[in-house]
């Protein structure tokens, strides 16, 4: 039995992934495809419904992403959102034009809550609007189901044909009852039962991996991050000792992290797998000695990582499968038919070339990050690891400005551990984006006791981000920052100043290199 699927057709909107995540929150499996996806591909699925995303274009503009009307003949309901709603109107003979007044932001919308899409929704409800065009006239057979004082068609439907549209964005949290509307769509209009649950995902994945791997051998590069850890545990549960995990400690991990990874995955840990820890700190520090240029440091770390991994892989010999923790956002194609937007430059990549294997297994390929976390909890991985914040492959190498030395690594590890501990104690850690200490390359004069000091400045950084492309500095409470500051200067030898980085991205980056 194929699982029931909702397809999001991406017309270039910024919320395409968010729509899919929201649908999955309704326990319905959802995939994102480009707007020009071949319909035959959709026919192969157990397709239950389609959602058109928003997008920055105007349906009339040259080169706008359009799809054919055949999509309405697939026999499943379609929900158009924003640009998607205008497109539905346009394709079916309605009128779309530039609105006399464009709406942006939270807007009161009057909805007809006798309609299934809006059942249980208040008659006047706050929705997120962002449009300059609007539907002026609905296509034949459609009725208006929502409006605002300046937007006559904030919602329309032709229930007999299973077609629904909203001008606002139900997927963003500013639309207060948006989840209800999406739930109504997938459950009551598309008739989905809601069979997408993490426990069954875990179970079926384990069975599928077992069947695929048979008696073969698999190799996994374990970083201690969430994705590779969850992938490793899934494999371990499926094939046990046929899996070898290689964990390269490059000496640029957070304080105690290497030991923590070993505790979980090593011989005394909970899993029955082959675990190899390579303590390669000295090798990395030697290669990094005297190197100040950030890109060069990244390259050195990336290359050395591959060398170390390659050496270990050689000892293990040829394997049948290489396990990778790729997740769904890395797989999704962008709506305009271009290749996926991936942080490829970021990854300590190139592993597949250096290992002799037949095939790659990517057990998390279909999951969003929050689902990876749920799967991790389902698999019994400790919360501390499951909720770990993102940590770059090159590790503290991109949090030390200038030359990397063992001494500087020690300083930044200690400062960062204090920072994380205090943020945790203040109860601010859950939900806070990314936060860490970095070591500037600046030394300055200070005084401690009656002694003059000439020591480093540590920079604290905390950012909120939804996509890592842009970020804003977080206003951490002063009381927390002052405790962190005083602990760092008192407890971390070599530091006499603590600075807080108030820069967003752009113009900064999230990391501090
Ligand atoms: P930047 O510094 O580019 O970071 O604003 C954006 C996000 O990417 C993470 N990052 C990396 N992740 N390998 C990774 O796996 C890397 O080389 C790398 N560089 C940056 C960074 O932590 C942030 O979440």
């Amino acid at each position: 039995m194929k699982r029931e699927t909702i397809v999001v057709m991406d017309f270039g909107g910024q919320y395409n992934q968010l729509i899919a995540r929201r649908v999955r929150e309704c326990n319905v499996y959802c995939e994102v495809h480009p707007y020009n996806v071949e319909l035959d591909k959709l026919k192969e699925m157990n397709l239950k419904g389609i959602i058109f995303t928003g997008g920055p274009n105007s349906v009339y503009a040259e080169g706008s992403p359009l799809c054919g009307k055949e999509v309405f003949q697939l026999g499943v309901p379609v929900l158009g959102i924003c640009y998607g709603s205008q497109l539905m109107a346009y394709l079916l003979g309605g009128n779309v034009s530039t609105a006399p007044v464009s709406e942006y932001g939270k807007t009161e919308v009057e909805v007809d809550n006798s309609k299934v899409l809006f059942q249980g929704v208040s008659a006047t409800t706050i929705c997120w609007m962002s449009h300059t065009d609007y539907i002026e006239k609905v296509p034949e057979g459609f009725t208006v189901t929502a409006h605002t004082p300046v937007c006559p068609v904030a919602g329309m439907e032709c229930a007999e044909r299973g077609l629904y549209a909203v001008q606002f964005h139900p997927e963003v949290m500013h639309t207060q009852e948006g989840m209800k509307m999406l739930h109504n769509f997938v459950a009551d209009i598309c008739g989905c039962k809601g069979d997408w649950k993490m426990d069954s995902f875990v179970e079926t994945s384990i069975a599928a991996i077992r069947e695929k791997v048979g008696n073969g051998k698999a190799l996994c590069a374990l970083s201690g991050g969430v994705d590779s850890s969850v992938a490793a545990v899934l494999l371990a549960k499926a094939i046990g000792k046929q899996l070898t995990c290689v964990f390269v400690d490059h000496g640029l991990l957070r304080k105690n992290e290497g030991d923590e990874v070993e505790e979980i995955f090593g011989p005394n840990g909970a899993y029955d797998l082959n675990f190899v820890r390579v303590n390669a700190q000295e090798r990395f520090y030697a290669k990094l000695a005297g190197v100040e240029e950030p890109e060069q440091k990244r390259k050195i770390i990336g290359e050395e990582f591959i060398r170390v991994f390659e050496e270990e892989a050689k000892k293990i010999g040829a394997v049948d499968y290489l396990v990778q923790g790729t997740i769904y956002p890395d797989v999704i194609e962008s709506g305009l038919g271009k290749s996926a937007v991936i942080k490829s430059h970021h990854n300590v990549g190139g592993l597949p070339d250096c290992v002799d294997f037949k095939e790659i297994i990517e057990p998390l390929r279909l999951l969003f990050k929050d689902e990876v976390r749920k799967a991790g909890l389902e698999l019994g991985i400790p919360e501390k690891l499951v909720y770990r914040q993102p940590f770059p492959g090159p590790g503290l190498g991109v949090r030390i400005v200038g030359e990397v030395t063992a001494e500087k690594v020690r300083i930044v590890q200690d400062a960062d551990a204090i920072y994380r501990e205090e943020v945790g104690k203040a109860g601010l850690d859950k939900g806070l984006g990314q936060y860490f200490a970095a070591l500037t390359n600046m030394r300055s004069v200070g005084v401690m006791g009656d002694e003059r000091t000439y020591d480093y400045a540590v920079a604290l950084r905390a950012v909120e981000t939804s996509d890592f492309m842009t970020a804003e500095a977080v206003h951490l409470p002063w009381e927390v920052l002052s405790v962190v500051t005083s602990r760092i200067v008192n407890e971390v030898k070599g530091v006499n100043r603590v600075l807080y980085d108030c820069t967003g991205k752009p113009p900064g980056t999230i990391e501090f290199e």
Side-chain angles (χ1 to χ4, degrees), residues 298 343 345-348 390-394 398-399 434 436 465 468-469 505 508-513:
R298 274 178 175 273
K343 297 188 295 168
H345 63 292
H346 285 320
N347 285 322
V348 181
F391 187 64
V398 293
R399 293 182 183 171
Q434 208 173 338
F436 55 85
T465 174
F468 298 95
M469 307 299 282
K505 171 184 179 177
T509 59
I510 293 177
E511 295 297 343
F512 199 115
E513 56 196 298

Side-chain angles (χ1 to χ4, degrees), residues 39 52 66-75 78 87-93 161 163:
L39 297 188
F52 291 175
L66 302 176
C67 62
K69 279 195 259 186
E70 306 75 49
V71 69
F72 301 122
Q73 263 112 52
L74 287 173
V78 180
L87 181 71
M88 184 184 285
Y90 171 74
L91 290 175
L92 297 173
R161 295 174 65 190
L163 304 180

Side-chain angles (χ1 to χ4, degrees), residues 411-453:
I411 293 177
V412 75
Q413 277 180 337
D414 287 349
D416 183 68
I418 292 172
Y419 186 29
R420 283 187 290 134
E421 186 186 327
E422 291 301 329
V423 168
K425 267 197 218 156
L428 299 169
D429 52 342
K430 285 236 166 93
L432 185 57
Q434 208 173 338
Y435 61 102
F436 55 85
L439 187 59
T440 74
N441 209 16
M442 181 193 88
R443 290 205 292 167
S444 64
V445 174
V447 55
M448 259 194 157
D450 289 327
E451 299 272 333
R452 174 187 193 272
T453 57

Side-chain angles (χ1 to χ4, degrees), residues 223-479:
S223 71
V226 184
D227 304 341
S228 68
S229 299
V230 174
V233 172
L234 256 182
L235 264 289
K237 296 235 165 166
I239 60 167
K241 280 258 158 54
Q242 289 159 258
L243 172 72
T244 303
C245 287
V246 174
F247 167 55
V248 176
D249 185 343
H250 51 23
L252 301 165
L253 296 167
R254 284 169 288 204
K255 190 172 184 177
N256 300 332
E257 201 162 66
D259 295 341
E260 284 167 18
V261 172
E262 182 167 352
E263 237 167 70
I264 296 171
F265 293 98
N268 300 323
Y271 307 106
D272 187 28
L273 48 79
N274 296 308
F275 175 81
V276 180
R277 174 175 178 172
V278 192
N279 289 318
Q281 295 88 329
E282 299 310 326
R283 278 177 71 159
F284 280 84
Y285 297 159
K287 289 271 174 188
L288 287 166
V291 182
E292 296 193 345
E293 209 279 312
E295 276 307 301
Q296 209 187 336
K297 288 195 288 184
R298 274 178 175 273
K299 267 186 116 178
I300 291 173
I301 297 167
E303 276 171 24
E304 197 58 15
F305 188 89
I306 293 174
R307 293 291 87 78
V308 175
F309 192 80
E310 196 171 34
E311 287 169 23
E312 287 312 311
K314 272 202 191 118
K315 291 183 201 160
I316 295 160
V319 291
D320 306 278
Y321 300 94
L322 185 76
V323 183
Q324 297 212 309
T326 318
I327 69 171
Y328 195 50
D330 299 331
V331 175
I332 298 182
E333 289 178 61
S334 108
L336 301 176
K338 297 187 194 120
S339 58
V341 184
I342 311 178
K343 297 188 295 168
S344 53
H345 63 292
H346 285 320
N347 285 322
V348 181
L351 284 187
D353 295 338
C354 77
V355 185
D356 195 6
F357 66 97
K358 282 199 292 218
E359 217 182 303
I360 293 187
I361 296 188
E362 296 173 311
L364 311 177
R365 225 184 131 70
L366 297 180
L367 303 191
F368 284 110
K369 193 79 179 189
D370 44 341
E371 294 175 314
V372 174
R373 294 205 159 102
K374 275 191 208 152
L377 294 176
E378 198 64 48
L379 285 161
I381 302 176
E383 276 203 17
K384 193 170 164 204
L385 200 165
V386 165
Y387 288 105
R388 205 163 251 183
Q389 39 169 331
F391 187 64
L396 301 179
V398 293
R399 293 182 183 171
I400 292 173
V401 180
E403 186 190 8
V404 174
T405 63
E407 170 68 357
K408 284 181 170 176
V409 170
R410 196 251 328 142
I411 293 177
V412 75
Q413 277 180 337
D414 287 349
D416 183 68
I418 292 172
Y419 186 29
R420 283 187 290 134
E421 186 186 327
E422 291 301 329
V423 168
K425 267 197 218 156
L428 299 169
D429 52 342
K430 285 236 166 93
L432 185 57
Q434 208 173 338
Y435 61 102
F436 55 85
L439 187 59
T440 74
N441 209 16
M442 181 193 88
R443 290 205 292 167
S444 64
V445 174
V447 55
M448 259 194 157
D450 289 327
E451 299 272 333
R452 174 187 193 272
T453 57
Y454 185 61
D455 282 333
Y456 283 107
V458 157
L460 303 179
R461 184 143 179 71
V463 297
E464 280 304 353
T465 174
S466 55
D467 56 6
F468 298 95
M469 307 299 282
T470 60
E472 279 179 60
V474 174
H475 297 226
L476 281 187
W478 191 247
E479 306 80 71

